[in-house]
Amino acid sequence: MVFDVKVFISVDMEGASGVTTWDDVIPGRMFYNQSRPLITQDVNAAIEGAMEAGATEVLVNEAHDGMRNLLLEKLNPAVRVIRGFRGKKLAMVEGINETFDRVFLVGYHARAGMLGAILNHTFFNEVHNFWINGVLVGEGGISAALAGDFGVPVALVTGDDKTIGQMRELVPGVESAEVKKGISRYSADCLNPEATYGLIKEAAERAMSAKVKPYRVKPPVTVEVEFTTLEMGNLASWVPSVELVEPRKVSCTAGSVVDAWKPIWAAMLLANGMADPKPQP
């Protein structure tokens, strides 16, 4: 057992136990309310495993959609939770700092375009590709790189098999809990939630002593985003320090991941908010 370890948990939803379609994860859709207990249970499993292995403090950051998905009344009362979307400069890892020892990514999904990965995308469906210093990454890689700027390693990821494979490429030694195997973007071979609870709890316990290193990106850091439309690329380039390098692609270079991320995140939000609305796939 380890002692005096502070854990940060970032919670997405597409990688939760049993989730396979947009109707499962978009508020107001048919099965959304059935999925909220599933992701809450996954998070509780990670919390329980961490605490049984010696975690003394756990901070949970909601990181899906409007970032108000967990059932707070069902969540372990020992943790604090950051909720809400607007104003989060670090988005999915809002609240991370150098005082944390471990990051857990719970309910994560694979990057845009990953064959056979459940609900694969990168932030918005209009983002086609995302690179950090030439490495193609998804939301898990972005979270790992931002946490790495503060010297904090990702020690656990839960989700489908494709998501776990991507994270293992970036973070050797990362612990994982595979809650489903992707068949297509909208179908998966799923385990029962009672089974995934045990898998996640055990993986979280192992993650507390896992030999993992922070995912550090050597400066200067260049972040690039390729959108699906010309208009989004144009809009994104309006943000200072964000350059239009191709008709649908923008770039920002800075001295750290955090400093490159912030203008890019602002550009993505601007482009997504001002472009013509498009239906979900």
Side-chain angles (χ1 to χ4, degrees):
M1 179 179 288
V2 292
F3 298 96
D4 297 325
V5 176
K6 189 173 176 181
V7 177
F8 181 96
I9 301 180
S10 175
V11 186
D12 209 344
M13 198 170 185
E14 289 88 352
S17 298
V19 164
T20 59
T21 73
W22 296 120
D23 284 343
D24 294 329
V25 298
I26 296 177
R29 294 283 186 93
M30 184 179 298
F31 300 114
Y32 172 70
N33 285 331
Q34 294 180 26
S35 300
R36 295 182 71 194
L38 295 175
I39 187 59
T40 303
Q41 182 169 298
D42 285 2
V43 174
N44 275 334
I47 294 168
E48 183 178 348
M51 288 186 166
E52 287 193 6
T56 52
E57 183 177 344
V58 178
L59 175 64
V60 175
N61 179 51
E62 291 220 43
H64 171 73
D65 197 80
M67 302 186 179
R68 298 182 303 276
N69 308 287
L70 294 173
L71 298 173
L72 291 185
E73 70 276 12
K74 301 294 185 181
L75 202 64
N76 189 309
V79 306
R80 301 182 350 262
V81 184
I82 297 176
R83 305 189 81 206
F85 175 82
R86 293 180 181 273
K88 284 185 170 180
K89 293 181 181 178
L90 296 183
M92 299 181 77
V93 290
E94 181 67 30
I96 192 69
N97 59 47
E98 63 279 351
T99 69
F100 287 91
D101 302 286
R102 292 281 191 275
V103 171
F104 292 178
L105 306 181
V106 176
Y108 265 60
H109 57 83
R111 66 175 180 261
M114 185 70 181
L115 185 64
I118 291 297
L119 300 178
N120 62 84
H121 65 281
T122 304
F123 283 103
F124 308 116
N125 282 318
E126 294 79 14
V127 172
H128 191 59
N129 284 308
F130 195 108
W131 297 268
I132 300 177
N133 274 13
V135 178
L136 186 63
V137 296
E139 293 171 21
I142 295 166
S143 294
L146 288 168
D149 252 17
F150 295 95
V152 188
V154 171
L156 172 70
V157 58
T158 79
D160 70 17
D161 55 323
K162 313 304 188 301
T163 305
I164 290 167
Q166 287 184 6
M167 290 306 300
R168 284 175 175 166
E169 292 178 3
L170 294 176
V171 186
V174 66
E175 289 293 342
S176 63
E178 182 184 302
V179 303
K180 54 197 171 187
K181 292 184 182 295
I183 296 171
S184 73
R185 199 183 190 200
Y186 306 110
S187 62
D189 182 346
C190 301
L191 294 174
N192 184 283
E194 290 187 14
T196 61
Y197 191 98
L199 288 177
I200 294 171
K201 179 177 177 291
E202 291 170 5
E205 291 175 352
R206 295 193 304 270
M208 291 294 288
S209 56
K211 303 298 183 182
V212 287
K213 297 180 179 180
Y215 180 51
R216 293 188 181 274
V217 180
K218 185 178 180 179
V221 177
T222 298
V223 175
E224 300 169 288
V225 181
E226 181 184 21
F227 296 99
T228 58
T229 70
L230 298 175
E231 182 62 15
M232 292 189 75
N234 175 51
L235 289 167
S237 69
W238 293 2
V239 173
S241 76
V242 176
E243 178 186 1
L244 186 67
V245 294
E246 293 179 10
R248 295 185 292 114
K249 185 176 181 181
V250 296
S251 174
C252 179
T253 299
S256 69
V257 177
V258 169
D259 288 342
W261 161 257
K262 289 180 180 178
I264 283 289
W265 180 228
M268 291 167 63
L269 291 172
L270 174 67
N272 188 64
M274 294 184 66
D276 292 335
K278 300 172 182 63
Q280 291 283 354

